[in-house]
């Protein structure tokens, strides 16, 4: 399902025009990204937990050239679905 | 940030009471879980892509007892953040 279909489905559920549903969705996405951009974790009950994890720097070796390279540390986003969501998917 | 704080922040952004924001969030979560529960993937523009992936069954060996066990196939949810979200986290 793409973004447009999702907005249509949301609009039907919220009983509002698609344009309004799109605005609400955009607000959600902005708030999500702002919170996660600050490096905070975010738990949404019934859905799951978004967490910004710091991956440490590490050394990799190119097996062909034997060249060693340092991979810089980076921040990665991880998502853990809630048990409710997991159960729904399993069904 | 927990669910309650997130709802408060959303309510401020949407300029509506916290109770209404909570209802809207619940509708979002329900729609999300319903779509993903059907095994569909879901892309939210500017946020990322949720995908239900089928993990095949595999054989694992307990190194102590040498016992071989068959892990049954399962469905797992994966989330790929959009480039926009990734950039925000990196900042």
């Amino acid at each position: 399902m793409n973004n447009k279909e999702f907005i249509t489905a949301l609009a039907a559920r919220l009983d509002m025009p698609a344009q309004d549903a799109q605005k609400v969705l955009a607000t959600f996405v902005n708030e999500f990204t702002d919170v996660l951009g600050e490096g905070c974790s975010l738990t949404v009950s019934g859905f799951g937990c978004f967490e910004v994890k710091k991956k440490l720097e590490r050394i990799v070796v190119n097996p062909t050239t034997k060249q060693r390279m340092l991979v810089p540390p980076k921040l990665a986003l991880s998502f853990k679905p809630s048990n409710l969501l997991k159960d729904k998917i399993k069904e």
Side-chain angles (χ1 to χ4, degrees), chain A residues 23-40:
Chain A
K23 271 181 206 161
V24 174
L25 180 62
T27 310
F28 269 59
V29 169
N30 285 338
E31 179 63 30
F32 256 113
T33 50
D34 282 358
V35 170
L36 295 172
E38 285 164 20
C40 295

Side-chain angles (χ1 to χ4, degrees), chain A residues 36-49:
Chain A
L36 295 172
E38 285 164 20
C40 295
S41 66
L42 176 56
T43 308
V44 179
S45 94
F47 190 61
C49 176

Side-chain angles (χ1 to χ4, degrees), chain A residues 17 21 32 34 47 51 56 61 63-64 73 75 80 84:
Chain A
F32 256 113
D34 282 358
F47 190 61
E51 210 172 338
L56 294 175
V61 182
T64 315
L75 296 169
K80 263 192 194 166
L84 209 83

